């Protein structure tokens, strides 16, 4: 993170960090450098360090500087997808024979990466309830190199005490990685609580408009950031210049969008808790949520993701999803439009039969920024 942004507010950093006016024209928005290679001033005479756009591209650099500033990290890196970022991180930090602790409630794609790809490479993992410190400690062994956390988690909205798990990681001499996708850096900054690396799917709240796929890593330590950057270039799954530009544009309104997402979600939760066909609402803003006090401590607000369980089992949950009209039936989350899905058959089908299997009667909402009364009316008719 550039020193010039250290004392600026989040909203100011979101708009200005990395967004330097174009020196040629004065354009206030960084250009899209849709280019693969760069003219050298003599052999090895690079302008600004740019030689080939897999290694570095000015538009991607602007995004990476912005990401580091928002998370309070020393190095930000942008990738073609969230899973590309995760893959780079794991292959940078781990070697065959290593062990990782992963949460018992995690994104299905993350679990698939560990169970179907990384494990074949000789890296083992154990599942722990990361909201329970003793469960995390009990999952560690002499080969553990990494603790992986999602908070809030996907799709059960579990909360993990980042500072407490960071203490366990330090004591064990292992790295702590936090997937901050659900919260975004506006609501939560894990590096300030002791995490070593933050992971994002930029596709979600950071981009915010369901029009781009991307991923990011932000490292607290300069040396680790350099190591990740080496592997980013060596492996090559980088964010393209247009995608980087789209994410940068989305980030500029992140703060105001997250305020509205959170406000709308709280109204949705209020309605769902009173609905006779809803058996349980999962949202860290509820006082009876087991992680509520920790969420109050480490989050600015509670975000736009809501999950709930319905009477009637799996088919009833599927029917709710199918009857929704304003809530679009679809995977992903974090866009300005509201989405509804059935995790067991959609985003988390890959964890079926595992320790991460989700309840069959679960419905997940990504509450958008539409008029909340319209959203409430749609949910009421979908619930029947």
């Amino acid at each position: 993170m550039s020193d010039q942004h250290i004392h600026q507010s989040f909203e100011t950093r979101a708009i200005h960090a990395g967004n330097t006016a174009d020196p040629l024209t004065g354009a206030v928005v960084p250009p899209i450098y849709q280019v693969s290679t760069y003219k050298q001033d003599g052999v090895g005479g690079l302008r600004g360090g740019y030689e080939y756009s897999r290694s570095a591209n000015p538009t991607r650099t602007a995004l990476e500087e912005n990401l580091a500033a928002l998370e309070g990290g020393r190095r930000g890196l942008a990738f073609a997808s969230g899973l590309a970022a995760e893959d780079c991180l794991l292959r940078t930090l781990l070697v065959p024979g290593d062990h990782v602790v992963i949460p018992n409630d995690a994104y299905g794609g993350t679990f698939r990466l560990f169970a179907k790809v990384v494990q074949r490479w000789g890296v083992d993992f154990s599942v722990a309830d990361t909201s329970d410190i003793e469960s995390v400690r009990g999952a560690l062994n002499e080969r553990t190199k990494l603790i992986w956390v999602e908070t809030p988690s996907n799709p059960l909205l579990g909360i993990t005490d980042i500072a407490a798990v960071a203490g366990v990681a330090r004591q064990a001499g292992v790295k702590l990685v936090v997937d901050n996708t659900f919260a975004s850096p506006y609501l939560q900054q894990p590096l300030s609580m002791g995490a070593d690396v933050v992971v994002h799917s930029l596709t979600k709240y950071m981009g915010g408009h369901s029009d781009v796929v991307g991923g990011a890593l932000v490292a607290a330590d300069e040396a680790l950031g350099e190591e990740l950057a080496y592997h980013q270039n060596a492996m090559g799954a980088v964010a393209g210049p247009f995608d980087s530009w789209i994410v940068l544009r989305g980030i500029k309104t992140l703060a105001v969008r997250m305020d509205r997402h959170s406000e709308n979600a709280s109204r949705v939760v209020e309605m769902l808790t009173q609905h006779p066909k809803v058996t349980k609402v999962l949202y860290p803003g509820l006082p009876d949520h087991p992680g509520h006090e920790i969420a109050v401590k480490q989050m600015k607000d509670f975000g736009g993701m809501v999950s709930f369980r319905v009477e009637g089992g799996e088919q009833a949950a599927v029917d709710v999803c199918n009857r929704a009209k304003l809530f679009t039936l679809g995977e992903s989350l974090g866009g300005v439009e509201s989405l509804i899905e059935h995790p067991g058959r959609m985003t988390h089908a890959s964890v079926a039969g595992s320790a991460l299997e989700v309840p069959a009667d679960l419905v997940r909402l990504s509450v958008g920024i539409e008029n909340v009364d319209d959203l409430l009316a749609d949910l009421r008719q979908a619930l029947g």
Side-chain angles (χ1 to χ4, degrees):
M1 177 174 57
S2 172
D3 291 340
Q4 75 181 90
H5 300 295
I6 289 175
H7 302 296
Q8 293 177 346
S9 66
F10 183 92
E11 293 86 347
T12 302
R13 280 179 280 145
I15 293 170
H16 292 285
N19 288 272
T20 305
D22 177 40
L24 180 63
T25 66
V28 298
V29 175
I32 302 171
Y33 284 88
Q34 195 66 48
V35 60
S36 61
T37 193
Y38 304 81
K39 175 180 170 59
Q40 299 188 16
D41 299 319
V43 175
L46 308 183
R47 301 183 190 181
Y50 296 103
E51 58 180 338
Y52 187 62
S53 277
R54 186 192 68 248
S55 303
N57 172 280
T59 315
R60 192 172 86 235
T61 297
L63 172 59
E64 292 177 337
E65 290 178 358
N66 185 273
L67 293 168
L70 295 188
E71 286 287 5
R74 300 307 303 175
R75 185 69 181 266
L77 299 164
F79 294 82
S81 70
L83 282 169
E86 293 183 11
D87 181 48
C88 178
L89 174 64
L90 296 177
R91 288 201 271 172
T92 300
L93 294 181
L94 304 173
V95 297
D98 286 344
H99 172 264
V100 182
V101 176
I102 68 170
N104 63 351
D105 176 24
Y107 168 52
T110 298
F111 176 77
R112 182 177 58 231
L113 178 62
F114 277 104
K116 304 297 184 181
V117 179
V118 177
Q119 196 169 43
R120 291 175 59 195
W121 184 47
V123 171
D124 200 10
F125 66 90
S126 297
V127 176
D129 177 358
T130 58
S131 68
D132 179 352
I133 294 302
E134 293 310 314
S135 177
V136 175
R137 283 199 180 98
L140 298 170
N141 63 43
E142 68 281 357
R143 296 183 294 110
T144 305
K145 295 296 189 295
L146 193 66
I147 300 173
W148 192 281
V149 163
E150 280 185 23
T151 184
S153 64
N154 184 6
L156 300 179
L157 281 301
I159 297 295
T160 294
D161 188 329
I162 297 171
V165 177
V168 172
R170 283 194 301 272
Q171 188 175 32
V174 305
K175 300 290 187 189
L176 172 61
V177 175
V178 177
D179 185 333
N180 202 29
T181 297
F182 266 29
S184 87
Y186 179 63
L187 299 183
Q188 176 176 271
Q189 281 133 27
L191 299 183
S192 69
M193 292 176 260
D196 296 288
V197 184
V198 167
V199 174
H200 280 285
S201 171
L202 298 176
T203 312
K204 313 305 193 295
Y205 287 109
M206 301 290 269
H209 294 77
S210 302
D211 55 8
V212 66
V213 173
L217 301 174
V218 182
D221 177 73
E222 188 73 43
L224 177 56
E226 287 296 323
E227 192 175 357
L228 290 167
Y230 176 86
H231 283 80
Q232 179 197 40
N233 179 51
M235 294 161 66
V238 297
F242 183 68
D243 289 349
S244 297
W245 188 88
I246 288 288
V247 175
L248 262 177
R249 184 177 66 168
I251 286 173
K252 290 179 180 181
T253 60
L254 177 63
V256 292
R257 285 188 288 105
M258 293 308 295
D259 284 340
R260 183 63 172 267
H261 284 300
S262 298
E263 178 185 342
N264 280 0
S266 68
R267 290 281 305 281
V268 166
V269 166
E270 182 182 8
M271 184 275 286
L272 290 173
T273 57
Q274 298 171 10
H275 199 285
K277 292 188 178 179
V278 174
T279 60
K280 187 175 182 62
V281 180
L282 307 174
Y283 187 66
L286 288 170
D288 62 354
H289 186 287
H292 177 70
E293 291 185 8
I294 294 169
V296 169
K297 178 182 69 173
Q298 67 187 24
M299 297 179 72
K300 179 183 176 70
D301 208 332
F302 305 110
M305 299 303 299
V306 180
S307 291
F308 62 96
R309 301 177 70 172
V310 296
E311 282 186 349
E314 181 175 12
Q315 189 56 52
V318 171
D319 290 344
V320 169
C321 294
N322 287 333
R323 284 195 296 262
K325 294 181 173 62
L326 184 55
F327 277 82
T328 300
L329 178 61
E331 299 192 3
S332 197
L333 57 104
V336 293
E337 67 290 307
S338 294
L339 300 177
I340 190 169
E341 68 126 356
H342 184 264
R345 294 192 183 183
M346 296 171 67
T347 54
H348 288 69
S350 61
V351 302
S354 77
L356 282 75
E357 185 170 11
V358 299
D361 59 358
L362 188 73
V363 175
R364 191 191 75 180
L365 305 176
S366 174
V367 181
I369 66 172
E370 302 96 335
N371 181 284
V372 71
D373 292 325
D374 294 335
L375 297 177
L376 295 175
D378 187 43
L379 285 174
R380 288 190 185 102
Q381 70 80 25
L383 284 162

